[in-house]
Structures are given as structure tokens and as C-alpha cells.
Amino acid sequence: MVSAEASIERVLWTEAEVAARVGEVAAELAADLRALPEPAVVVGVATGAFLFLADLVRRVDAPLAVDFVRVESYGGGTESSGKPRITADLKVDVAGKHVVVVEDIVDTGNTLSCLIAHLEKKGASSISVCTFLDKPARRKVNIQLVGDGKFYSGFECPDYFVVGYGLDYAELYRNLPYVGVLKPEKYKKDSSN
Ligand code: IMP
Ligand code: MG
């Protein structure tokens, strides 16, 4: 086996750059959550948000609950199917709560708008979104936040398929501590090598 790094064409954000930016986003989020009358519920979208969420909440000094949902729309390729499904639901009751959805990346916006509709149906009083990466160039669906919800974003991502810091291709590369562009030959042929 070769290293995971051998599949990366170039690094977009190093581990140090990621940590610095996550600290800034966390400070902004912490100030907003401390102003709320009650603890917020931070909802990570599995699996991609696991590292971002873990780093983020450790830097947010405010009372909060953490939960995960799983939303799937990718058939293992690099293009979203456009029809996301919630395949694992929340444990925490979000009725009347301030919810912060933590995502790895907002691409077309399909996943997020499906999830926001789902959380709104459960009675969340506000829905904010905190995404590590935002690819606005590929947006197809406008993201409608709920109540006093805010949109927090780590980095604006150019229109490349990126991996690392939670983001995968066919479930691989999530463990890279930085974000990089995957070599195109890695997704043009069998992903098993
Ligand atoms: P959307 O529904 O098109 O906004 O896609 C959002 C989901 O697609 C994210 O949660 C990611 O799991 C995945 N995704 C979109 N772009 C990329 C990428 O460049 N690399 C890895 N995953 C991506
Ligand atoms: Mg994914």
C-alpha cells in the first residue's frame, strides 16, 4: 500500500491553516451561542463533519449538546445524486431549540436544504449552518436558514473535488489532516487503488 498523500495533487489548506481558521469560526460561533438563553444543539452531518465538529466544539466555550445525522446522496462518485436521504436520525429532541448544522462542505446545497426542512419539521426554533468549506460556484439550491439562523463558513472552496479533514472520495482520505485536490486519475479509474 502507498500513503494516502500520494493521491493528492496539491494542498489547498495546510493543517496549520485549517486550525487557525477553525479557531476564528469557533470564536464567532461561541459569541453567538453564549448570547442564547439556552444551550444550542450542534448537529454534525456524518461522516464528513466529524473532524471539523470535534475541533470546533472544543473551542466553543458555551453550553451545547452534540448529535449527528447521516444524509446520503452520493453513489460513491464525485457528483451528488440530487436526492438526499436521511439514513440516520437525531437522538436529541430539537423542538424549540437553536440548532447549528455542522457540514464538511456545501456544494449544490441539496443535502443542506433537505436537512434544514427535516429539522424545521421537528420544530427547531432557529437553524444556523456552520460549514467547513463552501463551494458557491456550484450552488443549485438557495440555503434558507430558519429564524435568527446564521451562516458560518471556514473557507470558500474553488471548484475542485477536494478530500481530507473529513472529506472523502469513496470513504477514503477523511483522515488527512489538511485539505487537498485529489489527483483526477484517482476518481477516473477504480477507487480501490
Ligand atoms: P451537496 O448536496 O451537493 O451540497 O453536497 C454536499 C455533500 O457532498 C457534502 O456533505 C460532501 O459529503 C459531498 N461533497 C461535495 N463536494 C465534495 C468534494 O469536493 N469532496 C468531497 N465531498 C464532497
Ligand atoms: Mg461525502
Side-chain angles (χ1 to χ4, degrees):
M1 293 292 279
V2 294
S3 70
E5 193 161 347
S7 304
I8 302 302
E9 193 164 76
R10 71 189 171 93
V11 174
L12 289 181
W13 295 286
T14 65
E15 187 171 1
E17 287 167 339
V18 167
R21 184 64 190 132
V22 171
E24 289 173 357
V25 175
E28 198 186 335
L29 184 63
D32 293 340
L33 297 192
R34 279 199 294 262
L36 294 175
E38 53 172 33
V41 182
V42 175
V43 174
V45 184
T47 310
F50 80 115
L51 291 180
F52 179 45
L53 184 141
D55 287 344
L56 190 72
V57 294
R58 271 183 285 190
R59 289 171 175 80
V60 173
D61 181 12
L64 54 83
V66 174
D67 204 351
F68 282 93
V69 287
R70 184 174 288 280
V71 189
E72 282 166 284
S73 64
Y74 270 42
T78 60
E79 290 292 327
S80 162
S81 72
K83 287 193 200 78
R85 290 177 309 129
I86 291 162
T87 55
D89 208 344
L90 292 172
K91 183 175 114 183
V92 171
D93 181 7
V94 294
K97 299 284 171 63
H98 297 276
V99 173
V100 181
V101 176
V102 177
E103 255 284 30
D104 54 357
I105 187 167
V106 184
D107 188 33
T108 62
N110 280 315
T111 304
L112 207 51
S113 55
C114 160
L115 186 54
I116 289 172
H118 181 72
L119 294 166
E120 201 176 2
K121 219 185 281 173
K122 285 176 177 281
S125 60
S126 80
I127 304 177
S128 293
V129 169
C130 183
T131 187
F132 174 57
L133 301 180
D134 185 15
K135 256 190 203 172
R138 284 176 44 92
R139 197 75 88 250
K140 289 194 181 127
V141 185
N142 210 19
I143 303 300
Q144 301 278 350
L145 302 171
V146 173
D148 293 330
K150 272 180 68 175
F151 189 82
Y152 308 84
S153 163
F155 297 103
E156 187 166 314
C157 186
D159 191 7
Y160 299 112
F161 193 79
V162 297
V163 294
Y165 198 64
L167 292 123
D168 73 308
Y169 170 68
E171 299 302 330
L172 298 177
Y173 312 108
R174 295 193 196 274
N175 56 318
L176 292 173
Y178 53 82
V179 179
V181 179
L182 191 61
K183 287 179 179 167
E185 65 260 31
K186 288 290 158 190
Y187 52 81
K188 281 184 182 145
K189 62 177 188 188
D190 184 350
S191 63
S192 63
N193 52 20

